[in-house]
Amino acid sequence: MSGSLREHLADLEAAGELVELAPELSLKLEAAAALHSLSGHTVRFQGFRENARPAVGNVIASRATFARAIGVEVSEVTEAIARALDTPGEPTRVAQGACQEVVLEGDAVDIAALPIFTHAADDGGPYVTAGVYVVRDPELGHNLSYHRSLVIGPRSFALRILDRDLMHFLKRAGGSLPAAMVLGLPPSLLLAAAISLGPGRSEYGVAAALAGLELCPARIDPELLVPASAEWVLEGRISLAETHPEGPFVDLTETRDIVRQGPVFRVERITSRKDPIYHALLSGGLEHKLLMGLPREPTILREVRAVCDCKAVHITPGGASWLHAVVQIEKRGEEDVRAAIDAAFRGHSSLKHVFVVDADVDPFDPQAVEWSLATRFQADRDLHLFPGTRGSSLDPSADPSSRLTCKAGFDLTIPAGKERWKFERFQFPAIDTARLRGGAPMGD
Ligand SMILES: Cc1cc2nc3c(=O)[nH]c(=O)nc-3n(C[C@H](O)[C@H](O)[C@H](O)COP(=O)(O)O)c2cc1C
């Protein structure tokens, strides 16, 4: 289990799963392109042409990387997150953290110290993408959430803040709050920060349950606790009264988001480790997708389990890890499928298409899911349409102002009343061909 980004990187390095890149790339477009071409691999940049500081990307390179970081098998990930949601842990409090080894204040504060990527040619500028904002409300406690942050000056960012918990906290505080943007976090905390828990339940408890967690007081407000193991902490204030154009930005769906006025975060202090590692999260990349999808699988699982025997849920990267889910059930009656479809939409309100498969179809194998669409599905019988439903703001095909969309549930299960054997996929027995070929690997 990895309680810090460094432990996670050391573990990947020992397993030969860390790709190291020489300091030859530009922060402008080239480094992001490298992350894109090395999708599925964790990448350590030794530095860049414009900035000698190191960075990492694709920290949660795959589902398997995440499973490894929290010490479970890949097949146990959804259940492990569900357990952490049900029984949060208790973080340990320490007086000072490694994240405060260096403190920059006053004129020394310049966010150019961080090797911030410009991801796409049309983006509004360099963006911090893995920055988790920590705020605190005297009654509701701590809240953690990601907000893409456009560099607009040496000490300021323009943020994208949707109408969720951080906005709620800001409004309760009269429009302005001290905040810490924390960067360089272990996978457990990266995932916890992506969960929408609602006010009053802290993401810190989920991270503590997944892999343990130490917190220390921020300098800006001793009541505001930050992860002691973070690489960088940018302390300052977010203000709704001060806004600045934010965007365009290539987001989760790999399409361009528009320019809007966004609240400004003014940085007052930077604390860090002596040799901090920056985390660049490729927007629209697999890491972004996993962070969006993984927290929703347990919420769908819970809702579907309440109505039928649900074996597994997979939010698929092909559906931007936000709009599509495959739900695997053991069907006991025809009513199970429609109940599972309705429940899946309750479990994740942004879901657009849900595919219900039988227990013999692997929901993590896109070819198998498509095979069941081809062999078990008839559109006039098995397609359930929900026109005029409120969907995701991230779907460019939905009506942009009302967010109205047509949701659909696909029943890919074996139809009732038919001979089952006609729908069963023939399974070849396993055979050890390597032994027959004298142990020579394929292709030699
Ligand atoms: C990598 C990543 C980037 C995100 N960027 C933003 C963003 O720019 N603005 C936003 O409001 N939410 C963004 N989100 C979503 C929220 O951080 C996430 O849904 C969070 O759980 C919301 O927390 P809350 O329910 O405490 O408000 C992002 C999520 C991830 C994983």
Coordinates of all heavy atoms in Angstrom, one line a residue, residues 142-176:
H142 N -13.9 19.4 6.4 CA -13.1 19.6 5.2 C -13.7 19.1 3.9 O -14.5 18.2 4.0 CB -11.7 18.8 5.3 CG -10.8 19.5 6.3 ND1 -10.9 19.3 7.7 CD2 -9.8 20.3 6.1 CE1 -9.9 20.0 8.3 NE2 -9.2 20.6 7.3
N143 N -13.4 19.8 2.8 CA -13.9 19.3 1.5 C -12.7 19.3 0.6 O -11.9 20.2 0.6 CB -15.0 20.2 0.9 CG -15.5 19.6 -0.4 OD1 -16.2 18.6 -0.4 ND2 -15.2 20.3 -1.5
L144 N -12.6 18.3 -0.2 CA -11.5 18.1 -1.2 C -12.2 18.0 -2.6 O -13.1 17.2 -2.8 CB -10.7 16.9 -1.0 CG -9.5 17.0 0.0 CD1 -10.1 17.2 1.4 CD2 -8.7 15.7 -0.1
S145 N -11.7 18.8 -3.6 CA -12.2 18.6 -5.0 C -11.1 19.1 -6.0 O -10.3 20.0 -5.6 CB -13.5 19.3 -5.2 OG -13.5 20.6 -4.7
Y146 N -11.2 18.6 -7.2 CA -10.3 19.0 -8.3 C -10.9 20.2 -9.0 O -12.1 20.2 -9.2 CB -10.2 17.9 -9.3 CG -9.4 16.7 -8.9 CD1 -10.1 15.7 -8.2 CD2 -8.1 16.5 -9.2 CE1 -9.4 14.5 -7.8 CE2 -7.4 15.4 -8.8 CZ -8.1 14.4 -8.1 OH -7.4 13.3 -7.8
H147 N -10.1 21.2 -9.3 CA -10.6 22.3 -10.1 C -9.5 22.7 -11.1 O -8.4 23.2 -10.6 CB -11.0 23.5 -9.2 CG -12.2 23.1 -8.4 ND1 -13.5 23.0 -8.8 CD2 -12.2 22.5 -7.1 CE1 -14.2 22.5 -7.8 NE2 -13.5 22.2 -6.8
R148 N -9.7 22.5 -12.3 CA -8.6 22.9 -13.3 C -8.3 24.4 -13.1 O -9.2 25.2 -12.9 CB -9.1 22.6 -14.7 CG -10.2 23.5 -15.2 CD -10.8 22.9 -16.5 NE -11.6 23.9 -17.1 CZ -12.7 23.6 -17.9 NH1 -13.0 22.3 -18.1 NH2 -13.4 24.5 -18.4
S149 N -7.0 24.7 -13.2 CA -6.6 26.0 -12.8 C -5.7 26.7 -13.8 O -4.6 26.2 -14.1 CB -5.9 25.9 -11.4 OG -6.6 25.3 -10.5
L150 N -6.2 27.7 -14.5 CA -5.5 28.4 -15.6 C -4.6 29.4 -14.9 O -5.0 30.3 -14.1 CB -6.5 29.0 -16.5 CG -5.9 30.0 -17.6 CD1 -5.1 29.2 -18.6 CD2 -7.1 30.7 -18.3
V151 N -3.3 29.4 -15.3 CA -2.3 30.4 -14.8 C -2.7 31.7 -15.4 O -2.7 31.8 -16.7 CB -0.9 30.0 -15.2 CG1 0.1 31.0 -14.7 CG2 -0.5 28.6 -14.6
I152 N -3.0 32.7 -14.6 CA -3.3 34.1 -15.2 C -2.3 35.1 -14.6 O -2.5 36.3 -14.9 CB -4.8 34.5 -14.9 CG1 -5.1 34.4 -13.4 CG2 -5.7 33.6 -15.7 CD1 -6.4 35.0 -13.0
G153 N -1.3 34.7 -13.8 CA -0.4 35.7 -13.3 C 0.6 34.9 -12.4 O 0.4 33.7 -12.1
P154 N 1.7 35.6 -11.9 CA 2.6 34.9 -11.1 C 2.1 34.4 -9.8 O 2.7 33.5 -9.2 CB 3.7 36.0 -10.8 CG 3.1 37.3 -11.2 CD 2.0 37.0 -12.1
R155 N 0.9 34.9 -9.3 CA 0.3 34.4 -8.1 C -1.2 34.2 -8.2 O -1.9 34.3 -7.2 CB 0.6 35.5 -7.0 CG 2.0 35.5 -6.5 CD 2.3 36.6 -5.5 NE 3.7 36.9 -5.7 CZ 4.2 38.1 -5.8 NH1 3.5 39.1 -5.8 NH2 5.5 38.2 -6.0
S156 N -1.6 34.0 -9.4 CA -3.1 33.8 -9.5 C -3.5 32.8 -10.6 O -2.8 32.7 -11.6 CB -3.8 35.1 -9.7 OG -3.2 35.9 -10.6
F157 N -4.6 32.1 -10.3 CA -5.2 31.2 -11.2 C -6.7 31.5 -11.4 O -7.3 32.0 -10.5 CB -5.2 29.8 -10.6 CG -3.9 29.1 -10.4 CD1 -3.3 29.2 -9.2 CD2 -3.2 28.4 -11.4 CE1 -2.0 28.6 -8.9 CE2 -2.0 27.8 -11.2 CZ -1.4 27.9 -10.0
A158 N -7.3 31.2 -12.6 CA -8.7 31.2 -12.8 C -9.2 29.8 -12.7 O -8.6 28.9 -13.4 CB -9.1 31.9 -14.1
L159 N -10.3 29.5 -12.0 CA -10.7 28.2 -11.7 C -12.0 27.9 -12.4 O -12.8 28.8 -12.6 CB -10.9 27.9 -10.2 CG -9.8 28.3 -9.2 CD1 -10.1 27.8 -7.9 CD2 -8.5 27.9 -9.7
R160 N -12.2 26.6 -12.6 CA -13.6 26.1 -13.1 C -14.2 25.5 -11.8 O -13.7 24.5 -11.3 CB -13.4 25.1 -14.2 CG -14.7 24.3 -14.5 CD -15.5 25.1 -15.5 NE -16.6 24.2 -16.0 CZ -17.9 24.6 -15.8 NH1 -18.2 25.7 -15.2 NH2 -18.8 23.8 -16.3
I161 N -15.3 26.0 -11.3 CA -15.9 25.5 -10.1 C -17.4 25.2 -10.4 O -18.2 26.2 -10.6 CB -15.8 26.4 -8.9 CG1 -14.3 26.8 -8.7 CG2 -16.4 25.8 -7.7 CD1 -14.1 27.7 -7.4
L162 N -17.7 24.0 -10.6 CA -19.1 23.6 -10.8 C -19.9 23.8 -9.6 O -19.3 24.0 -8.5 CB -19.2 22.1 -11.3 CG -18.7 21.9 -12.7 CD1 -18.2 20.5 -12.9 CD2 -19.8 22.2 -13.7
D163 N -21.2 23.7 -9.7 CA -22.1 24.0 -8.5 C -22.2 22.8 -7.6 O -23.2 22.2 -7.5 CB -23.5 24.5 -9.0 CG -24.3 25.2 -7.9 OD1 -23.6 25.5 -6.9 OD2 -25.5 25.4 -8.1
R164 N -21.1 22.5 -7.0 CA -21.0 21.4 -6.0 C -20.5 21.8 -4.7 O -20.7 23.0 -4.3 CB -20.1 20.3 -6.6 CG -20.7 19.6 -7.8 CD -19.5 19.0 -8.5 NE -19.6 17.6 -8.5 CZ -19.8 16.8 -9.6 NH1 -20.1 17.4 -10.7 NH2 -19.8 15.5 -9.5
D165 N -19.9 21.0 -3.9 CA -19.5 21.3 -2.5 C -18.7 22.5 -2.4 O -18.9 23.3 -1.5 CB -18.9 20.1 -1.9 CG -19.8 18.9 -1.7 OD1 -21.0 19.1 -2.1 OD2 -19.4 17.9 -1.2
L166 N -17.6 22.7 -3.2 CA -16.7 23.8 -3.0 C -17.5 25.1 -3.1 O -17.4 26.1 -2.3 CB -15.6 23.8 -3.9 CG -14.6 25.0 -3.9 CD1 -14.1 25.3 -2.4 CD2 -13.5 24.9 -4.8
M167 N -18.4 25.2 -4.1 CA -19.2 26.3 -4.4 C -20.1 26.6 -3.2 O -20.3 27.7 -2.7 CB -20.1 26.1 -5.6 CG -20.8 27.3 -6.1 SD -19.8 28.8 -6.4 CE -19.3 28.6 -8.1
H168 N -20.7 25.5 -2.6 CA -21.6 25.6 -1.4 C -20.8 26.1 -0.2 O -21.3 27.0 0.5 CB -22.1 24.2 -1.2 CG -23.0 24.0 0.0 ND1 -24.2 24.7 0.1 CD2 -22.9 23.3 1.2 CE1 -24.8 24.4 1.2 NE2 -24.0 23.6 1.9
F169 N -19.6 25.6 -0.1 CA -18.7 26.1 1.1 C -18.4 27.6 0.9 O -18.5 28.4 1.8 CB -17.4 25.3 1.1 CG -17.5 24.0 1.8 CD1 -18.5 23.1 1.6 CD2 -16.5 23.7 2.8 CE1 -18.5 21.9 2.3 CE2 -16.5 22.5 3.4 CZ -17.5 21.6 3.2
L170 N -18.1 28.0 -0.4 CA -17.8 29.4 -0.6 C -18.9 30.3 -0.3 O -18.8 31.4 0.3 CB -17.3 29.6 -2.1 CG -15.9 29.1 -2.4 CD1 -15.7 28.9 -3.9 CD2 -14.9 30.2 -1.9
K171 N -20.1 29.9 -0.8 CA -21.3 30.7 -0.6 C -21.6 30.8 0.9 O -22.0 31.9 1.4 CB -22.5 30.1 -1.3 CG -22.4 30.4 -2.8 CD -23.6 29.8 -3.6 CE -23.4 30.1 -5.1 NZ -24.3 29.2 -5.9
R172 N -21.5 29.7 1.7 CA -21.7 29.8 3.1 C -20.7 30.7 3.8 O -21.1 31.3 4.8 CB -21.5 28.4 3.7 CG -22.7 27.5 3.7 CD -22.3 26.1 4.1 NE -21.9 26.0 5.5 CZ -22.7 25.7 6.5 NH1 -24.0 25.6 6.3 NH2 -22.3 25.6 7.7
A173 N -19.5 30.9 3.2 CA -18.5 31.7 3.8 C -18.6 33.2 3.3 O -17.7 34.0 3.6 CB -17.1 31.1 3.6
G174 N -19.6 33.5 2.6 CA -19.8 34.9 2.1 C -19.0 35.1 0.8 O -18.8 36.3 0.4
G175 N -18.5 34.1 0.1 CA -17.9 34.2 -1.2 C -16.4 34.1 -1.3 O -15.8 34.1 -2.3
S176 N -15.8 33.9 -0.1 CA -14.3 33.9 -0.1 C -13.8 32.9 1.0 O -14.4 33.0 2.1 CB -13.7 35.3 0.1 OG -12.4 35.2 0.4

